[in-house]
Amino acid sequence: PTPDTDTLTPRTANKALNQAAKVASLSPYVSQLFSGPTTPLINAQGVQKTVSNLAGHVIGVYASASWCGPCKKYTPMLAQFYNTMKQQGKPFEVIFLSCDQDEASAQAYFKGMPWLMIPFEEDARERAIAAIKVTGIPRLQVIGTGGQVLHDNAVQVPLSPAIMDAWLAGRPQ
């Protein structure tokens, strides 16, 4: 190989195939909602993933802001549910859509959250907020593993292992 070419090894080939499989299994709704499978997602530690990593997961699309009183009450409940589902090995992911007015506020609020976020500066964040028709916050749209919207706004839904089992089965409850 020359310096301008990549060497295809079994490891890099397998990685490429796994990525292609994730993209292929990502529902069209989720791909469109988040502006494509390569849209970046980050966690509070700055580790980056992409939307393609959401394939096969129940997804909670969480619109919230640091200045919102009801959000500050709901976020800890959602975080506890999220952490419990992760500990139980459930394929559940929350994507935070900041409705803050500036990146500093969004980052300060996000630093205590256990899930992923579309970076504040990404146009995909604004498009997703518009796509799920956020008119009030907090808002939690729940999307099933097949890409179907199970709850347009699940903020009032009691969060429990039973509701996760229903979501995994593709039922609202």
Side-chain angles (χ1 to χ4, degrees):
T2 66
D4 294 339
T5 63
D6 291 329
T7 302
L8 186 62
T9 65
R11 184 171 181 241
T12 57
N14 194 28
K15 187 176 178 181
L17 286 173
N18 286 340
Q19 184 64 22
K22 284 180 184 178
V23 170
S25 66
L26 189 65
S27 82
Y29 175 75
V30 172
S31 184
Q32 182 178 4
L33 176 63
F34 295 120
S35 302
T38 60
T39 296
L41 303 169
I42 56 169
N43 68 16
Q45 294 74 41
V47 176
Q48 187 169 316
K49 296 185 175 190
T50 63
V51 168
S52 65
N53 292 102
L54 302 176
H57 287 72
V58 170
I59 304 165
V61 183
Y62 183 48
S64 180
S66 63
W67 49 263
C68 169
C71 299
K72 289 180 182 180
K73 290 180 182 175
Y74 186 72
T75 298
M77 293 186 295
L78 181 59
Q80 182 179 8
F81 176 70
Y82 175 88
N83 288 330
T84 299
M85 294 302 100
K86 287 298 202 179
Q87 289 168 355
Q88 293 178 7
K90 304 288 184 179
F92 178 55
E93 193 54 72
V94 172
I95 305 303
F96 174 55
L97 304 176
S98 175
C99 295
D100 280 296
Q101 297 299 313
D102 61 85
E103 186 170 4
S105 298
Q107 289 298 334
Y109 185 47
F110 178 60
K111 73 179 178 185
M113 297 180 186
W115 43 68
L116 299 169
M117 158 187 201
I118 295 179
F120 188 84
E121 71 278 0
E122 288 288 325
D123 290 339
R125 180 186 62 86
E126 286 289 335
R127 286 195 294 272
I129 289 169
I132 67 168
K133 299 177 177 76
V134 174
T135 57
I137 53 175
R139 184 180 180 101
L140 179 69
Q141 184 179 86
V142 177
I143 304 167
T145 58
Q148 70 281 30
V149 176
L150 299 174
H151 288 281
D152 194 46
N153 190 1
V155 168
Q156 299 301 321
V157 174
L159 301 174
S160 68
I163 195 66
M164 177 54 68
D165 290 340
W167 292 345
L168 286 168
R171 298 187 318 269
Q173 348 200 48

